[in-house]
Amino acid sequence: MKRKLLRQIRNEWQSNVWISIELLIVSVVMWYITDYLYTKISIINEPKGFDTEHCYLIHYSLLNEQSPEFIPDRSDDEKNADLSTLMDRLAQRPEIEAVAMGQNSYPYNSSNSGVYMECDTFNTQGAGYVVRRLVTHDYPRVFRVYGANGESPERLSELLKEDGFLITDNIFKRRYGIEHMKDFIGKRFANNFSSDTLTLRAAYKPIRYDDYSSLQWSASIMAGVGQEGYNWMNELVVRVKDNMDKDFIEKLMKDADSHFRVGNYYIASIQSFDDIREIHQRDYVADMRMYFTGSAFLALNIFLGLLGTFWFRTRQRISEIAIRKANGANRIDIFKRVIGEGELLLLLITPFAIAFDYLLAHYELNTFYQGGYFVASRFIACVAISWCFMALMILFGTLLPANRAMHIAPAKALMGE
């Protein structure tokens, strides 16, 4: 069968050359689309490193100096004590599981602070932008951040009470190839946001910036802040117990004036992290929807183009099919012959398509992911996916018209010829 197909392809080389060129171009385009969608879907499905479900951001503010309840001349120590009291009162509510403060630290945050740290001959420069999260000790409990070596959020919370800091486990991976930071725990790191050095207490699982940012850009540190620094924080976050979310915002705001007015501080509003996430990622979602829609539209056009090509090609061979049927060929034999020709053409151009795909990756014309533009496992997976898609398009493009041709009587088909 294969020899007969090869002989037939050779005999009809003029038409097959143009079909092969079309298949080559379409194969490369399909690989590019597959590679792009593969990276985007892979990023979305990466572990986030945090959990914002049942979490809320409490916006607090200071009374205006013109307010009759304003207390003038509050010192920094008094302000810090007021904020500590506010946090304690929130923690005492039965529906609240954990309370924390931070400075540009919560997920889905458009503001951030960077940091540069080094230990001996190792530094964080190779990790790109390293986010600095200044937080109170219960931050890991609020967002359920886990340690890289199995530490619970409660354990990380205890470590943040000590003098030192935490760091993402992948911070030295890109530059030095160091997969884990366990050998650096207990060592002193110099940093550029203070004049001293800090001791690394633990490594935690990478925290992504949002749902559309890859883990490879998730390097960060987490440094604990005591009561003396509360006045410099700008975020107050809480985690509500899983079964006590109902009407939480309304209930807390109802008690805001009577129970949560401390010094000059008051609760202005409360925002669910579901809303924060939606607002922060609105542009990302719109872009992704546009990319997926565009890719689907392009893939559909490619499918219809190939379908039309092989449909027309098969329709031209109705008389040939009729002759084979008249000579005793059964349906399976005819289907194998018609479909096998298109699939064999695809198989013959596949090595050339793979070569073009490799050139696109080599010259970095595709999507950057997992530290590069060419990763063997990703490349093979995308080639396989695009090849299967092409094979299916050829299958449907030949199967449907061949099936219709099988229902035409041989005499009728030959009469038309």
Side-chain angles (χ1 to χ4, degrees):
M1 175 67 80
K2 291 182 180 179
R3 289 182 179 179
K4 291 180 180 179
L5 283 176
L6 288 171
R7 190 181 303 115
Q8 182 174 333
I9 289 172
R10 185 186 61 187
N11 292 336
E12 300 174 356
W13 67 269
Q14 289 179 324
S15 61
N16 286 330
V17 164
W18 291 109
I19 292 178
S20 299
I21 293 174
E22 179 184 358
L23 288 175
L24 176 63
I25 295 172
V26 171
S27 295
V28 175
V29 172
M30 280 306 307
W31 174 85
Y32 185 87
I33 295 173
T34 304
D35 181 78
Y36 178 83
L37 295 181
Y38 179 92
T39 57
K40 294 303 179 183
I41 293 172
S42 298
I43 289 172
I44 292 173
N45 289 311
E46 286 178 343
K48 292 189 291 187
F50 62 87
D51 179 11
T52 57
E53 192 174 1
H54 309 296
C55 292
Y56 296 83
L57 174 65
I58 297 178
H59 299 276
Y60 64 92
S61 188
L62 287 167
L63 291 171
N64 190 285
E65 294 182 2
Q66 306 302 319
S67 172
E69 299 180 6
F70 180 79
I71 305 173
D73 302 323
R74 297 288 280 179
S75 66
D76 286 343
D77 289 339
E78 290 173 320
K79 292 178 181 178
N80 290 331
D82 291 340
L83 288 171
S84 180
T85 301
L86 177 59
M87 291 177 65
D88 290 340
R89 291 183 181 180
L90 286 168
Q92 290 169 7
R93 287 187 69 93
E95 67 266 40
I96 292 180
E97 181 179 319
V99 184
M101 296 186 71
Q103 185 185 81
N104 304 329
S105 300
Y106 64 79
Y108 309 116
N109 193 341
S110 298
S111 299
N112 56 72
S113 302
V115 69
Y116 171 84
M117 305 195 75
E118 58 185 353
C119 176
D120 299 329
T121 58
F122 299 95
N123 61 69
T124 60
Q125 187 174 3
Y129 188 82
V130 179
V131 176
R132 182 191 69 179
R133 291 185 167 92
L134 296 180
V135 297
T136 59
H137 67 90
D138 267 346
Y139 178 92
R141 290 184 58 213
V142 172
F143 294 111
R144 293 186 177 171
V145 179
Y146 285 85
N149 297 311
E151 298 92 341
S152 66
E154 290 73 20
R155 178 54 183 160
L156 294 182
S157 176
E158 291 297 322
L159 291 172
L160 276 176
K161 293 180 181 179
E162 303 176 12
D163 174 35
F165 74 106
L166 313 180
I167 200 167
T168 47
D169 202 37
N170 64 344
I171 202 159
F172 285 161
K173 183 177 179 179
R174 288 184 59 201
R175 184 168 188 175
Y176 304 108
I178 298 174
E179 294 285 342
H180 306 289
M181 294 294 292
K182 59 183 179 180
D183 293 335
F184 291 85
I185 295 175
K187 292 188 176 182
R188 303 287 290 183
F189 279 71
N191 62 87
N192 70 344
F193 65 86
S194 63
S195 56
D196 59 356
T197 59
L198 295 175
T199 301
L200 178 61
R201 297 298 179 187
Y204 57 92
K205 294 181 180 179
I207 298 177
R208 290 167 59 189
Y209 206 69
D210 50 48
D211 297 352
Y212 295 93
S213 299
S214 176
L215 279 173
Q216 61 191 348
W217 308 116
S218 62
S220 66
I221 74 156
M222 197 183 301
V225 176
Q227 182 174 319
E228 70 281 355
Y230 286 3
N231 188 37
W232 299 101
M233 301 295 99
N234 58 5
E235 301 161 355
L236 178 58
V237 291
V238 299
R239 169 172 285 277
V240 176
K241 295 175 182 177
D242 293 358
N243 60 342
M244 303 185 75
D245 256 323
K246 183 174 174 59
D247 300 327
F248 168 74
I249 295 177
E250 291 77 7
K251 292 176 182 177
L252 188 59
M253 288 304 299
K254 185 178 179 180
D255 297 334
D257 288 335
S258 60
H259 194 59
F260 298 105
R261 177 76 65 81
V262 184
N264 290 324
Y265 289 101
Y266 68 95
I267 294 178
S269 62
I270 305 171
Q271 193 174 13
S272 166
F273 266 89
D274 291 338
D275 296 333
I276 293 172
R277 176 176 178 269
E278 192 276 330
I279 293 171
H280 175 79
Q281 299 189 150
R282 190 171 290 163
D283 290 340
Y284 294 105
V285 172
D287 288 343
M288 288 300 295
R289 187 180 294 115
M290 179 184 67
Y291 289 136
F292 275 98
T293 302
S295 298
F297 179 76
L298 182 58
L300 178 61
N301 277 273
I302 291 172
F303 171 74
L304 293 176
L306 286 179
L307 181 65
T309 298
F310 282 93
W311 188 296
F312 179 75
R313 182 183 177 88
T314 306
R315 290 290 296 174
Q316 284 185 315
R317 294 185 170 177
I318 289 179
S319 59
E320 178 186 334
I321 292 172
I323 292 173
R324 292 183 183 279
K325 189 176 179 181
N327 288 325
N330 57 38
R331 294 173 63 90
I332 296 177
D333 291 335
I334 293 174
F335 281 140
K336 282 183 178 180
R337 185 64 177 266
V338 175
I339 295 170
E341 183 181 359
E343 301 294 354
L344 185 57
L345 281 173
L346 176 63
L347 192 62
L348 291 174
I349 64 95
T350 294
F352 301 97
I354 292 175
F356 278 103
D357 298 340
Y358 176 78
L359 288 175
L360 289 176
H362 177 73
Y363 289 106
E364 301 180 353
L365 298 175
N366 57 329
T367 309
F368 183 90
Y369 181 60
Q370 291 181 338
Y373 293 87
F374 177 84
V375 177
S377 57
R378 165 185 153 197
F379 183 81
I380 294 171
C382 291
V383 166
I385 293 170
S386 58
W387 188 90
C388 290
F389 187 76
M390 292 282 295
L392 284 175
M393 287 191 287
I394 293 173
L395 174 64
F396 285 114
T398 53
L399 184 63
L400 296 178
N403 185 57
R404 290 188 63 184
M406 288 296 297
H407 290 85
I408 299 176
K412 186 175 180 181
L414 293 174
M415 185 189 305
E417 188 66 20

